[in-house]
Structures are given as C-alpha cells and as structure tokens.
Amino acid sequence: MTDVPVRREKLKSSWIFRPGVRSAVIQILLVALVVLIGWFIYRTTRQNIITQRIPIGFDFFWIESGFSISQTLISFNENNTYARAFLVGLLNTLFVSALGVLFATVIGFLVGIGRLSQNWIIARLCGGYVELIRNLPLLFQILFWYLAVLAALPGPRQSFTFFGDIFINNRGILMPKPMFGDGIGIVAAVAAAGILLSIVMTALARRYRVQTGTALKTWPFSLLLIVVAPLFVFFFLKVGVTVDRPELKGFNFNGGLRIIPEFLALLIALSTYTAGFIAEIVRAGILAVPRGQTEAARALGLRRSKLLQLVVVPQAMRVIVPPLTSQYLNLFKNSSLAVSIGYPDLVSVFAGTTLNNTGQAIEILGITMLVYLVISLVISFVMNIYNRRIALRER
Amino acid sequence: MKRSTILFSLALTFASAGAAQAATLDDIKARGSILCGVSGGLAGFAQPDDKGNWNGIDVDFCRALAAAIFNDPTKVKFLPLTAKDRFTALQSREVDLLSRNTTWTSSRDTQLGFNFAGVIYYDAQGFMVRKSAKVSSALELSNTTVCTQSGTTTQLNLADYFRSNNMKYEAVVFNTADEVIKAYESGRCDVFTTDVSQIYAERLKLAKPDEHMILPELISKEPLGPLVRHGDDQWFDIVKWTLFAMLNAEEYDISQKTLEQRLKSDRPDVKRLLGIEGNYGEQFGLTNDWIVRIIRHVGNYGEIYDRNVGEGSRLKIDRGLNKLWNKGGIQYAPPVR
Ligand SMILES: N[C@@H](CCC(=O)N[C@@H](CS)C(=O)NCC(=O)O)C(=O)O
C-alpha cells in the first residue's frame, strides 16, 4: 500500500511521459519526416531531369498546339497555343461538372423524397433506382450510355428528325442555333441587371417580413425586371435574329448547335450516378427530422406543402448539406473519367495530349493537380458558407 | 526505437532511389529481367494470347535483348502501356526501354529526353473507311468525323493533313486502341486513322473486316523503333546494336535454320558477327556469342518480321520498305568492325 505513491512520483518526474511534451515531439518528428521525404523526392527528380536532359519550365504554354478538339466552348483551332488548349479543357470539365451537379441535385432530391412517398409504386421505383445505380461502377455506366445507348443511334443520313429541324443521330443532337445581330449584348446586360435587382429586392422584402410580419408581393416586379424589360429593349433596338439550321452535307451535318455524344453520355452517367447517392442523403436528412416537428406543425394547421417548406426541409438541410458537398466533389473529380469515352476534358486535353506532345510531365501534372485542388476547395468553401447560413442558430 | 528504425530505413530507401542512377545494364542484371514497355494489344506488334504469352515484333525485339544478356529469351517482363502513358513510364524508369510501335520524331528525341535506337519498322499513316461510304481518296474526306488515339503522332498528322487540304473534320480522341476501334465500329466516326500496319492489325478486331477499306494515301513518315532514356550510352548502344545485329544476321544469311552451319563459316565478317573472332560483344559489356544467342532463341530480322507481321502471320503485310537495302528496301545496318 505504502509504495504506490512513490511509484507515481517516479512516473511524474519523467518528462518524456508528459502528454504535452510527447505530442510535441511526435509532431516535430512527423514534420521532419514529411520534409525529409519531400527533400528526397525533390533531389531524385532533379537528378533524373539532369541525367535525362529534359528541359523544364512553362514556355511550352506558348507553343502552337497543332491538334484539334471536338468540343470547345471558346473558339479553338490547330494554330492556337497549348495555353488555350488548357483553357478549353478546363472549361469543358467545369461545364460538364456544373450541369452534372445541377441535374444530380434535382434527380437526387426527387428520388430521395419519392422513396418516402406514401405511394407504394413510387417508393419502390425510387428504391430500385437507388439500388441499381449505386451498385454498378461509374465507368461501366459511362460506357453503357456511350456504347450501348448513344452509339446505337442511326447514322447522320438516317437521323431521327423532330420538328423538321432537330436531328438525333450517332454524332449527337443537332438543333437550330439562333444567331442574334448587334445589340444582343445590351439585352443580355439588361437581363443580368434585372436578375441582380430582383435578388436584392427579394432579400429586402424578406427582411421586411421578418421585422414586421407583413409579406410583400415581389414576383410581379421580378417578372418585369427579368423578362419584360429585356424584351422591351430587344424590340426597341430591333435586334436581328437569324436561325442557323443544321444541314446534311456529305458525311455530316454542318451548322446549327450540336451536343456531342461524349458529353451527353458523361453528363447522363455522372448525374444519374451521383443522384443515387444524393437520394439517400436526402432521405436520411428528412428522416432525421423528429416526428414531433411534423406533428407540431400539423397541429398548427399548416398545409402539407407549407409543412415541408417551412418545417421539414430547413431542418433536413442541416443534415443534408455536409454529405452533399462531398457528393459534389466526387462528381467533379469523377468527370475525369471522360478520357475513356473521348470527351475532351482537362485530363484528356491537357494531362493527355499536351503532356504527351511536350513531355513536360512534372509541370503539367502539377498544374492539373493544382486546378483540381483549387476547384474542390472552392466548391467546399461555397458549400460551407451555405451550410453556415442554414445552420441552427441558438436564440 | 522502432520509430527511428523506420525513419532510417525510409531515408535509406529514398537515398538509394536517388543514387540508383547506375548503369541500366547493371540494374537489369541485378533484377534478372528486362522491363519492356509494349503496346496494350496490337496484333503483330505486341499482344498477349489467351495463355498470357506475348507475341509480336516489338515483343520479339525485347526477347532478343534478353537472349543477348541472359541467354534466356524469357527473362523479360512486358508492361502494356497506352500511347499516352508510354513516355512518362520511360522517363520515370518504370521500364528500361520502349519497344512500342513508337515513331521517331525530333521532339521525342530531344525535348522528351529519349534516344531512338533505330527503326524496326518503316511505317506511314493511312485512313480506313467503310466501303459503303464510296470514297476512293482521302481528299474526299471533307466534313468527316475521325477517330484516333491521344498522344500519338497520328493525332497531329491528321490535323496537319486536313488543315493543309482545307478540309473540315471532327477528331474524336480516345485513350486506348480498343476504345478507338470500338467507336469507329459503332459508327461514331466515318474514318479510322493510325499507322497503316496498325490499321491492318486493328481491322482484324472488327466484326466484318471485309466491309472496310484502306485508302491509298499515305500522309506521313512513321519510322517505328525502340527507344531508351538519355543518359546511359552503354544501354543505348546495346539496344541499338541488337537491332543492327538482327538486320546484319539476315543480310549474312544467318537464321535459326542456318545458324549451326554458318558457325562453321570461314568468312571473316560472319566470324566477327558470330563472335568467333574479335570482341564485338565485350565492347558493350556482353559476351562475344551474344548474336548467336539472339539468333538461336529469337531469329534474325527477316524471321521476326515474317512470323509476326509478314507472310507467316495473320496480317500478311508486304515487306515493302522493310526489305533489306540490297533487296529493294531501306533496312540497312552499319557494319561490324
Ligand atoms: N506511331 C504512332 C502511333 C503509335 C500508337 O500508339 N498507335 C496506337 C494506335 S493503333 C496503338 O498502338 N495503340 C495500342 C494501345 O494503346 O494499346 C506514335 O508513335 O505516336
């Protein structure tokens, strides 16, 4: 009995066992290790580059690319530089990801809510969707849409034709493209200003309602600002409109607006796949709202739609948003599977063709990683702001 | 205690990785095998059969190297690489050489940091279309969609050709040869383009090869050959002279069939080649009978050509430019002296 405190005394005296010291030592060691590894990687790379006499640097950006790209949101041809090719690839990645996020969210919410539906058939259908989509590899789904569905469409000469001007074939979907004359920029500017103004107006009206309890009708003004005003300017300036129609010329259609099958396949696969996961997140979020909340709202006499809008959804969103963010990040990163079906995304155009033609592997992979990192961080940042806004505020 | 051991061994690993700039030949001998980067599946050049054995002219070249170094043609590990990944794989020492239907170009020879050891196959880029499209010349291909592979000379030649002939086109670019041919077959593209030898090979993958034809125009020079990294002249010499050895052997009529008899020859040039006289092999750090080993295990250039892409194969490609210089072609190896 008596020697117990003595032993404790001894233990205490050994500074190495003090938690603070110990964790500091571990952290210093860890940092040292990381620095060491980094240094060795740097040294090996440097040595390899020297012995293999590989030029390094970013001058390659300003060399003429010499290749063409099948989908470009900004104009691009063989005479343009690798820098512009990079931009084309980046925009293609952002484009498919942004639309993917949009569609995945819409489908995901519909399916997630549908799974909780009172209607047995809808609930089962949505459940089946989730199980099917979540359990098949994404690459397989992309290839399925590309090779089994879109490639099975007829050739340009046998296109499916809708309304005389819309053609669907194995080269994509073609439709007439409206071409606007001078002044369309002003119309667009007016519309943009209208959207901004109505956002501000809605926010002000909301604050007024919170303070005074009186709801103001804002939508007629929004309609005026966003639709009527630009239309007025459009007719006032007499902006000319011509239509560029797709036309079969030899092997392919010329003119018009074309959505390429690679883009469609990737977009469909990314949206439906991610929607499967989002559906489950939404379902979990809704189920996480305590029953008492719904019952209380009903006791107050709220209609079902108001009940969802005012009570269930705001609380469910708090559970939904954090995992939703990681689904968005997944979708964005998964978009790089584009290479397997020839969609010209950043990885295909820049980390693929450009890397191969210039051989600047370190620079190009470095930039590509950085781009993915930065965009992922931006997505997280935006979602975090949103999350903070909807978070529970203690009063 | 433990942590420091781990640290130390980690440091060692990285330090040795940094210092492992030793001669490639020593690395190969220590490892007991050659790491050879090949195509992922291209009939005639490099393709695994159902048992996983690799076949093809590019494969046989690496076997010849193994025969020369180890007297055992099986001491090669084949790494299938896509067109896009091949150069990084060589730069980062994942393979000792590429023997992967790769075109010798100025930028690859300089900027990418490689040395080409010679030309194992003189090729040229061509176009394949459906017979039903009823075209007879590449100049009629305006406004077509063309399927091709990323990171190849093909992709760039295609752009040059259409641009200089003022023809509109859409290039759909895939990662692997299989994806390209599948997209072409599905009708996504009107035209399939790559080196002609590879069109022959890929055409075999189509359900109905007879419904497709190769257009007469050849739009580029594609000298395909093995390549190594800058910075190791000994290894570069070995690869280069292995190719020359196979060409010289054919020129001097030394084949698997005639080897035993030619070993008794008293022509001085044959004797030098077969290591009976001189120290030709030792000059590279090999044995003097290295060519005997190559011929015994693999064969001469004519034999590997015939077996893999020529008359003795499914491809049946005429030797054309790849005939020896004294038989009407341009295959020519420097003399052994
Ligand atoms: N010779 C050209 C083209 C070589 C090339 O990669 N051709 C493709 C097209 S058939 C190929 O072999 N692919 C096989 C694969 O990716 O496994 C070059 O060096 O760039």
Side-chain angles (χ1 to χ4, degrees):
Chain A
M1 273 299 264
T2 42
D3 55 5
V4 170
V6 178
R7 204 190 287 156
R8 195 182 289 150
E9 205 66 43
K10 247 189 202 160
L11 279 173
K12 253 188 193 159
S13 67
S14 180
W15 60 272
I16 227 168
F17 291 104
R18 239 179 282 149
V21 176
R22 195 163 52 179
S23 76
V25 168
I26 290 177
Q27 284 182 40
I28 289 169
L29 274 176
L30 207 63
V31 169
L33 185 70
V34 170
V35 169
L36 199 69
I37 292 175
W39 186 74
F40 278 121
I41 290 175
Y42 168 78
R43 211 186 65 151
T44 314
T45 313
R46 217 181 91 93
Q47 207 168 345
N48 279 329
I49 284 173
I50 291 171
T51 48
Q52 293 176 37
R53 277 173 283 137
I54 300 171
I56 49 172
F58 295 93
D59 293 343
F60 72 90
F61 262 125
W62 313 113
I63 301 174
E64 196 178 282
S65 66
F67 59 88
S68 76
I69 301 177
S70 59
Q71 175 189 296
T72 61
L73 297 179
I74 52 175
S75 74
F76 182 84
N77 65 37
E78 295 88 349
N79 299 320
N80 291 132
T81 58
Y82 285 120
R84 199 168 174 93
F86 165 78
L87 211 60
V88 169
L90 176 61
L91 287 175
N92 282 346
T93 290
L94 291 176
F95 187 48
V96 78
S97 307
L99 284 180
V101 161
L102 184 73
F103 288 131
T105 310
V106 172
I107 304 171
F109 270 76
L110 289 179
V111 174
I113 293 170
R115 244 194 128 167
L116 296 172
S117 165
Q118 314 284 327
N119 184 320
W120 190 83
I121 296 182
I122 292 182
R124 279 307 133 101
L125 273 179
C126 293
Y129 173 88
V130 169
E131 290 313 324
L132 184 72
I133 288 281
R134 280 201 317 174
N135 292 313
L136 293 172
L138 176 56
L139 183 60
F140 169 82
Q141 296 190 34
I142 294 177
L143 292 174
F144 169 79
W145 287 108
Y146 189 60
L147 289 173
V149 180
L150 298 177
L153 291 167
R157 276 158 211 285
Q158 291 84 34
S159 304
F160 294 128
T161 311
F162 298 93
F163 312 114
D165 264 340
I166 297 176
F167 304 94
I168 297 184
N169 56 43
N170 59 14
R171 307 292 155 87
I173 302 177
L174 292 110
M175 56 191 96
K177 183 164 72 177
M179 308 277 278
F180 297 104
D182 294 336
I184 189 67
I186 302 176
V187 178
V190 171
I195 291 173
L196 258 165
L197 275 176
S198 18
I199 290 175
V200 173
M201 184 177 69
T202 318
L204 288 177
R206 193 190 152 89
R207 187 182 296 167
Y208 183 76
R209 196 195 62 206
V210 171
Q211 279 168 1
T212 66
T214 324
L216 296 173
K217 224 183 218 163
T218 56
W219 67 263
F221 297 100
S222 300
L223 191 74
L224 195 71
L225 284 169
I226 299 174
V227 182
V228 181
L231 272 181
F232 177 77
V233 177
F234 181 81
F235 287 113
F236 183 77
L237 292 175
K238 295 203 182 65
V239 178
V241 187
T242 49
V243 179
D244 179 16
R245 294 197 158 76
E247 234 179 298
L248 190 61
K249 267 210 185 118
F251 284 93
N252 269 322
F253 279 87
N254 257 353
L257 188 74
R258 192 162 71 96
I259 306 173
I260 60 173
E262 290 76 31
F263 173 77
L264 273 179
L266 189 64
L267 180 62
I268 297 174
L270 283 178
S271 324
T272 51
Y273 178 78
T274 314
F277 292 87
I278 293 181
E280 283 300 88
I281 293 171
V282 169
R283 186 171 71 110
I286 293 175
L287 289 179
V289 179
R291 269 193 78 84
Q293 294 284 321
T294 327
E295 282 161 3
R298 225 178 264 145
L300 286 176
L302 286 181
R303 272 184 286 126
R304 193 177 150 74
S305 61
K306 283 278 166 201
L307 179 152
L308 280 175
Q309 188 195 333
L310 297 175
V311 179
V312 180
V313 172
Q315 297 188 69
M317 283 312 267
R318 291 184 192 131
V319 182
I320 292 173
V321 168
L324 192 62
T325 309
S326 55
Q327 288 307 323
Y328 288 172
L329 291 175
N330 282 346
L331 187 146
F332 169 62
K333 285 176 288 182
N334 285 338
S335 74
S336 61
L337 286 171
V339 277
S340 57
I341 54 165
Y343 176 71
D345 76 328
L346 182 68
V347 173
S348 163
V349 171
F350 190 60
T353 305
T354 304
L355 191 161
N356 229 267
N357 292 348
T358 62
Q360 311 296 113
I362 297 173
E363 296 87 336
I364 290 180
L365 291 180
I367 293 175
T368 310
M369 270 154 58
L370 203 69
V371 166
Y372 273 89
L373 184 70
V374 167
I375 295 174
S376 293
L377 288 177
V378 168
I379 296 176
S380 304
F381 181 70
V382 171
M383 292 300 283
N384 279 344
I385 291 180
Y386 181 61
N387 193 29
R388 213 166 305 140
R389 277 198 42 192
I390 60 168
L392 192 64
R393 257 166 291 218
E394 308 275 341
R395 274 188 260 250
Chain B
M1 228 331 243
K2 242 188 192 154
R3 195 173 297 141
S4 65
T5 348
I6 293 170
L7 247 178
F8 184 62
S9 54
L10 250 177
L12 259 183
T13 333
F14 277 88
S16 59
Q21 298 296 329
T24 312
L25 182 63
D26 297 340
D27 284 352
I28 291 173
K29 282 183 175 160
R31 195 193 299 129
S33 67
I34 301 174
L35 297 176
C36 172
V38 293
S39 258
L42 190 62
F45 285 81
Q47 197 175 33
D49 63 17
D50 359 321
K51 288 184 211 83
N53 298 317
W54 287 86
N55 293 306
I57 194 167
D58 284 344
V59 164
D60 278 349
F61 180 73
C62 282
R63 293 226 170 93
L65 278 169
I69 297 171
F70 296 112
N71 198 15
D72 181 353
T74 62
K75 297 213 159 149
V76 192
K77 258 206 175 127
F78 294 103
L79 274 91
L81 297 167
T82 65
K84 203 182 116 208
D85 299 333
R86 59 184 153 170
F87 298 129
T88 5
L90 183 58
Q91 282 176 338
S92 62
R93 314 179 74 87
E94 239 176 277
V95 289
D96 297 316
L97 80 156
L98 285 180
S99 177
R100 193 208 165 282
N101 55 304
T102 296
T103 307
W104 186 351
T105 70
S106 61
S107 62
R108 292 173 180 175
D109 209 334
T110 57
Q111 210 181 336
L112 270 72
F114 302 134
N115 279 325
F116 280 81
V119 179
I120 198 169
Y121 190 103
Y122 286 97
D123 212 337
Q125 185 173 336
F127 296 108
M128 174 164 74
V129 294
R130 288 178 186 74
K131 283 182 180 159
S132 61
K134 304 230 177 341
V135 280
S136 54
S137 155
L139 293 168
E140 297 165 36
L141 294 180
S142 190
N143 210 16
T144 48
T145 303
V146 188
C147 280
T148 187
Q149 197 170 344
S150 166
T152 56
T153 49
T154 318
Q155 194 187 355
L156 303 173
N157 297 330
L158 169 72
D160 282 0
Y161 184 76
F162 277 77
R163 192 157 46 138
S164 50
N165 288 301
N166 274 320
M167 300 194 296
K168 236 187 87 176
Y169 73 107
E170 175 199 22
V172 191
V173 180
F174 296 88
N175 229 353
T176 69
D178 272 344
E179 288 162 5
V180 184
I181 194 76
K182 266 202 202 112
Y184 168 74
E185 186 165 34
S186 78
R188 173 67 180 97
C189 296
D190 305 300
V191 186
F192 174 87
T193 183
T194 184
D195 305 344
V196 174
S197 66
Q198 292 150 45
I199 299 186
Y200 276 95
E202 293 297 302
R203 186 160 67 164
L204 296 176
K205 290 185 189 160
L206 296 171
K208 294 184 184 127
D210 296 338
E211 292 180 0
H212 305 265
M213 60 182 271
I214 300 173
L215 296 175
E217 282 85 356
L218 299 177
I219 65 163
S220 69
K221 294 186 284 187
E222 305 289 333
L224 313 178
L227 56 151
V228 297
R229 280 180 295 275
H230 275 169
D232 186 345
D233 290 349
Q234 181 199 28
W235 177 234
F236 178 34
D237 284 343
I238 291 175
V239 177
K240 181 162 54 181
W241 283 92
T242 295
L243 179 56
F244 292 157
M246 297 176 98
L247 286 167
N248 276 327
E250 185 184 6
E251 187 176 334
Y252 290 100
D253 191 27
I254 305 167
S255 66
Q256 290 189 306
K257 257 196 232 108
T258 61
L259 178 65
E260 295 311 317
Q261 170 215 332
R262 298 298 273 165
L263 276 169
K264 292 181 211 116
S265 164
D266 40 40
R267 278 180 57 178
D269 43 8
V270 171
K271 279 180 145 172
R272 262 201 307 279
L273 206 56
L274 295 181
I276 298 160
E277 254 172 31
N279 64 343
Y280 181 28
E282 282 165 7
Q283 290 166 355
F284 314 116
L286 300 176
T287 56
N288 278 335
D289 68 341
W290 65 296
I291 297 187
V292 176
R293 295 172 169 187
I294 293 176
I295 302 303
R296 183 170 293 140
H297 294 300
V298 183
N300 68 28
Y301 179 77
E303 288 174 298
I304 65 167
Y305 185 98
D306 188 67
R307 180 194 316 153
N308 293 304
V309 290
E311 275 313 306
S313 73
R314 277 169 77 205
L315 298 180
K316 305 214 184 317
I317 306 175
D318 187 69
R319 257 186 86 171
L321 283 181
N322 292 297
K323 288 191 192 114
L324 291 183
W325 61 283
N326 53 5
K327 301 263 172 63
I330 56 173
Q331 281 291 11
Y332 182 106
V336 173
R337 263 271 144 240

